[in-house]
Amino acid sequence: MSTVAVILAAGLGKRMKSSLPKVLHPVLGDPSLLWVLRSLPSEISAAVLVLHFGREQVETALAEWRKEGLLPCPVHTVDQREPRGTGHAVQQAVPELDRLAPRRVIILSGDVPLLGKESVARLTALDSAMLAMDLLEPRGYGRVMQNSDGTLRGLVEEKDASSEILAIRRVNGGAYALPWCELKPALAGLSNENAQREYYLTDAVVAVAAKVPTHVELCDASELLGMNSRADQAQLQSLARRHINARWMEAGVTFLDPETTSVGPRVELAQDVLLEPTLRLEGQVQVGKGTRIGQGCVFRDCRIGAGAEIRPYCVGVDAVIGDHAKVGPFAHLRQGTRLDEKVHVGNFVETKKAHLHAGAKANHLSYLGDCEVGERTNIGAGLITCNYDGFHKHQTLIGQDVFVGSDCQLVAPIQLGDGCLIGAGSTITQDVPANAIALSRTAQVTREGAARRLRDRLKGGMS
Ligand code: UD1
Ligand code: MG
């Protein structure tokens, strides 16, 4: 059966007090809308996103996710122009739905990020259904009324409810699966004669339920929590954190302090990974077996091999770290960094578009940008690849088994041949052939006893 999703995301999100559209606010590094899109089961053939406030920002984000292959299906957008209620929002998707001609439509909210794939799949398994939750404090939600067989009889918004209905604790979760042939006429028949002068989607759902038995599926309240304020956002993050960390602990990962460790929804951790406190892994991060990641590290879109040791306070973005590498403390691996196996990158080393081949070492205080460093090469403390002339970036190519002494500058473009040796304190501006020694410093002058003579003279001048 062909199923299309409609995702509502036109609301202003006034209570977020933000210039960023509500659905782009992140939960553990991924925007709310990306969580919702990712929850769509594979049988959903397309999604129609109803946008208005911040439409351009959302479309830019969508284009990026599409490029990165993060969208589970084609996503079309429509503009609601004037938000006049959830029913009005779905009405805007009607031309797209007519074009896509689904048998069934799934409706979700872009600001409800934690609804799990399993719960969406429970909806898609039924012809006509909605998700509900039981709340001790149901304030703010629409109330659910059921027939004696449990199917849906009515939905009443709080502002339209009598005190009798207000006492109902089963509330509408705002997620639905409905047959398109029944939903379409129900949308056309909506009116805004209610307390809020809005076109309610819930009225259309009830109209469908009068024709087709509509199941009320109970769902965990934590999955249906919406992001309406920064406090909601914080609560969503802590719920997601607890859930994700528990899953990884179950899979054999050690968290020294799960409460302060944030692992995003797209992170993959192998067995025996050990995560120290206060670290953050976001986006597409993969960590291999037995790797330890130190306190305070932040990695985004990185691949980290097995048996690696990442010491505290390292930052990595778009970097690949090989098996048994040692990194940090305080290393900064910027985009395009590639460390092969057993590479060591030590404290206060910054890398960018740098490929360090197996066994290479840069243990202290260096900038390695736009460069290749060959196998087993040793980079002394304080090396700088001078890769930028103010206009263009240039490459530094360093061969294997090279020894670069401390405090050198390599002015790119430049090439150091295999096995060469660069004397400490050199500024190298010309290519160095294999196995050569190159140094560029003025000859040392040593004057015997001159220090004592100088001190004596200065002392004499003081008396
Ligand atoms: C809605 C339901 C309510 C349910 C609750 C669950 C209706 C009438 N009521 O209420 O029964 O308990 O969700 O969270 O549907 N949106 C648009 N355009 C609009 C209005 C809303 O795109 O004109 C979007 C919002 O951005 C949001 C979603 O629709 O993503 C839900 O809207 P919201 O205003 O939160 O609906 P509620 O009043 O909470
Ligand atoms: Mg709401």
Side-chain angles (χ1 to χ4, degrees):
M1 174 172 10
S2 74
T3 305
V4 168
V6 174
I7 300 172
L8 305 184
L12 171 61
K14 224 184 292 171
R15 281 187 284 151
M16 291 297 285
K17 301 205 171 104
S18 175
S19 52
L20 191 68
K22 177 161 78 159
V23 293
L24 291 186
H25 278 269
V27 172
L28 302 186
D30 271 4
S32 174
L33 179 60
L34 185 57
W35 283 77
V36 176
L37 287 165
R38 243 198 343 258
S39 75
L40 300 179
S42 56
E43 74 247 43
I44 292 191
S45 55
V48 182
L49 202 52
V50 183
L51 300 173
H52 182 59
F53 292 103
R55 175 181 180 166
E56 275 174 27
Q57 282 164 284
V58 177
E59 285 183 336
T60 303
L62 273 178
E64 213 162 281
W65 300 338
R66 190 172 293 126
K67 214 168 61 194
E68 289 175 41
L70 297 178
L71 300 181
C73 59
V75 178
H76 311 278
T77 59
V78 296
D79 192 331
Q80 196 186 354
R81 284 185 292 276
E82 199 189 344
R84 293 164 67 192
T86 48
H88 183 256
V90 181
Q91 282 172 347
Q92 311 314 302
V94 167
E96 274 299 306
L97 291 169
D98 271 337
R99 194 175 63 77
L100 295 162
R103 277 273 314 275
R104 191 181 40 190
V105 178
I106 301 290
I107 303 172
L108 302 172
S109 288
D111 59 352
V112 179
L114 302 189
L115 186 57
K117 236 192 173 95
E118 300 71 26
S119 300
V120 182
R122 268 166 65 208
L123 266 186
T124 51
L126 296 162
D127 217 20
S128 190
M130 60 165 290
L131 294 181
M133 51 186 168
D134 288 337
L135 297 181
L136 286 176
E137 178 46 83
R139 189 145 32 98
Y141 290 93
R143 307 298 203 274
V144 178
M145 288 178 296
Q146 289 166 277
N147 296 311
S148 53
D149 64 355
T151 55
L152 180 66
R153 180 159 59 88
L155 289 169
V156 182
E157 290 309 289
E158 178 155 289
K159 290 189 175 140
D160 302 297
S162 63
S163 57
E164 201 181 321
I165 286 175
L166 284 177
I168 298 175
R169 288 190 174 152
R170 182 152 296 174
V171 303
N172 174 14
Y176 319 88
L178 301 162
W180 176 229
C181 62
E182 300 295 349
L183 175 61
K184 189 180 171 183
L187 288 169
L190 284 179
S191 91
N192 65 348
E193 280 158 30
N194 52 53
Q196 302 183 78
R197 292 265 148 235
E198 281 184 8
Y199 295 89
Y200 289 166
L201 175 59
T202 42
D203 289 347
V205 176
V206 172
V208 172
K211 300 256 172 70
V212 191
T214 298
H215 296 262
V216 176
E217 288 285 305
L218 272 186
C219 183
D220 198 302
S222 63
E223 287 191 50
L224 289 169
L225 181 70
M227 180 157 58
N228 296 304
S229 64
R230 308 278 179 160
D232 285 348
Q233 184 183 18
Q235 195 189 348
L236 285 162
Q237 306 225 65
S238 94
L239 281 168
R241 183 185 305 122
R242 234 167 278 154
H243 181 249
I244 288 175
N245 293 358
R247 184 160 55 82
W248 287 121
M249 285 189 262
E250 188 76 25
V253 171
T254 293
F255 286 72
L256 293 189
D257 184 6
E259 282 300 303
T260 64
T261 305
S262 286
V263 175
R266 288 183 286 132
V267 173
E268 287 170 46
L269 305 173
Q271 211 173 308
D272 290 323
V273 163
L274 188 151
L275 303 180
E276 294 184 13
T278 68
L279 64 77
R280 191 145 58 83
L281 306 177
E282 289 182 351
Q284 199 97 45
V285 171
Q286 277 170 25
V287 185
K289 211 168 172 173
T291 285
R292 178 180 185 117
I293 305 186
Q295 179 154 333
C297 284
V298 179
F299 283 94
R300 179 161 193 102
D301 297 324
C302 289
R303 214 165 69 227
I304 305 176
E309 189 181 333
I310 315 292
R311 292 158 180 161
Y313 304 106
C314 292
V315 174
V317 176
D318 269 333
V320 177
I321 299 171
D323 294 348
H324 305 289
K326 288 192 165 68
V327 177
F330 301 102
H332 186 188
L333 310 181
R334 294 169 55 203
Q335 98 277 3
T337 290
R338 196 171 138 197
L339 310 183
D340 288 351
E341 61 169 19
K342 295 188 181 148
V343 162
H344 292 190
V345 166
N347 37 218
F348 307 108
V349 173
E350 175 182 344
T351 59
K352 187 218 69 175
K353 290 191 185 157
H355 182 179
L356 278 69
H357 292 257
K361 291 184 182 143
N363 272 326
H364 337 263
L365 301 159
S366 289
Y367 172 62
L368 298 168
D370 301 292
C371 68
E372 293 266 342
V373 178
E375 288 179 23
R376 296 173 302 279
T377 281
N378 186 79
I379 302 289
L383 174 82
I384 294 171
T385 53
C386 310
N387 60 333
Y388 187 47
D389 57 16
F391 295 93
H392 300 106
K393 300 282 168 71
H394 301 282
Q395 286 284 321
T396 297
L397 302 174
I398 305 175
Q400 58 189 41
D401 299 303
V402 169
F403 183 92
V404 181
S406 297
D407 194 24
C408 287
Q409 299 89 49
L410 305 177
V411 181
I414 198 154
Q415 213 162 332
L416 308 188
D418 292 347
C420 74
L421 192 155
I422 308 297
S426 295
T427 301
I428 301 295
T429 55
Q430 290 162 21
D431 289 354
V432 178
N435 298 313
I437 290 181
L439 34 92
S440 73
R441 46 191 189 212
T442 49
Q444 181 170 327
V445 177
T446 307
R447 283 184 276 152
E448 295 271 355
R452 195 179 337 111
R453 287 197 296 280
L454 176 67
R455 273 195 299 271
D456 290 348
R457 202 174 71 226
L458 295 174
K459 240 188 278 172
M462 278 168 68
S463 58

